[in-house]
Amino acid sequence: IEDRTAMIERCSRRTLARRQLLFTRGEPRSSVFILRTGMIKLQRQTAAGNEVIITLCGPGELVGFSGLSKATVRVASAQVVEAGEAFVIDEGDFRALMAERPAIAMAVIESLRWRMESVADALTDVVSEDVPNRIVRLLRRLAAGKGEARNGEWALDLRLTHQELANMIGARRQTVTTALSELHRDG
């Protein structure tokens, strides 16, 4: 609680509107967001201009912090998927806070480890699974990280379009729509 209080004292609050762009790839890194409520997608564009969703960030997750990288610019863009609120802190202040409070640094390391593992799982799925299985595996990962148990089942309250699902698994929207219909039909 003491670490959390120290961090919140250095933060400002920002209301996040659906579809709001927090930052874009290539712009200077200056601040870190700690999501209080809502959902943000981290994304990149392919050379052909197609969106690739790297990950979804929910409450309690860091957005815009690239670890110990010496890169001075953002490596991805961040857009709000579900409206909410975030704590915002200057990246230099955040680094100083991690140096002062090892528990915060350890939580950041764990968060980055989880994100890297999630990206590795998604990449493995793209090269080894068909689209229906990629969808099922994505939904399981999302439920494990962002869902909640209800009546013995996992509930995942996310409003994602078929296009966003496609952008997360490396497929076309039409293929995802067909696969979702087949999965629904098969129960």
Side-chain angles (χ1 to χ4, degrees):
I1 294 179
E2 187 177 307
D3 289 332
R4 183 179 298 176
T5 301
M7 184 166 45
I8 290 173
E9 287 174 352
R10 296 184 189 188
C11 293
S12 61
R13 287 186 182 212
R14 183 188 285 180
T15 300
L16 307 174
R18 182 166 161 74
R19 296 198 176 115
Q20 175 184 356
L21 199 59
L22 292 182
F23 52 81
T24 58
R25 182 176 184 212
E27 77 178 38
R29 288 179 16 193
S30 59
S31 55
V32 176
F33 299 82
I34 301 115
L35 204 53
R36 186 170 173 274
T37 58
M39 186 75 57
I40 294 173
K41 64 181 174 181
L42 296 179
Q43 61 192 18
R44 290 181 79 165
Q45 299 291 323
T46 66
N50 298 318
E51 176 185 272
V52 176
I53 298 175
I54 299 165
T55 192
L56 294 175
C57 302
E61 291 188 70
L62 289 175
V63 178
F65 184 67
S66 297
L68 302 176
S69 166
K70 298 212 186 259
T72 58
V73 297
R74 303 282 189 191
V75 297
S77 299
Q79 185 176 29
V80 178
V81 175
E82 286 182 6
E85 184 179 55
F87 295 108
V88 184
I89 185 171
D90 174 82
E91 185 165 332
D93 289 344
F94 188 67
R95 287 176 180 277
L97 186 63
M98 288 192 314
E100 294 167 16
R101 299 190 174 264
I104 291 176
M106 292 305 295
V108 169
I109 289 168
E110 178 59 22
S111 172
L112 294 174
R113 184 209 56 82
W114 180 86
R115 190 169 292 161
M116 188 171 78
E117 191 174 297
S118 178
V119 169
D121 287 346
L123 178 61
T124 302
D125 288 351
V126 166
V127 299
S128 66
E129 299 286 348
D130 61 12
V131 171
N133 283 322
R134 280 188 260 170
I135 293 170
V136 169
R137 290 175 60 84
L138 170 66
L139 293 174
R140 284 184 179 153
R141 277 194 305 274
L142 290 172
K146 299 172 189 346
E148 63 180 58
R150 289 187 198 155
N151 300 324
E153 295 183 348
W154 281 99
L156 185 60
D157 294 327
L158 288 177
R159 294 185 319 161
L160 296 173
T161 66
H162 289 192
Q163 184 64 59
E164 288 170 325
L165 288 172
N167 293 348
M168 293 177 79
I169 64 165
R172 298 196 181 283
R173 185 204 51 81
Q174 298 87 341
T175 307
V176 167
T177 299
T178 300
L180 285 170
S181 294
E182 290 170 3
L183 288 167
H184 181 69
R185 184 191 67 229
D186 294 341

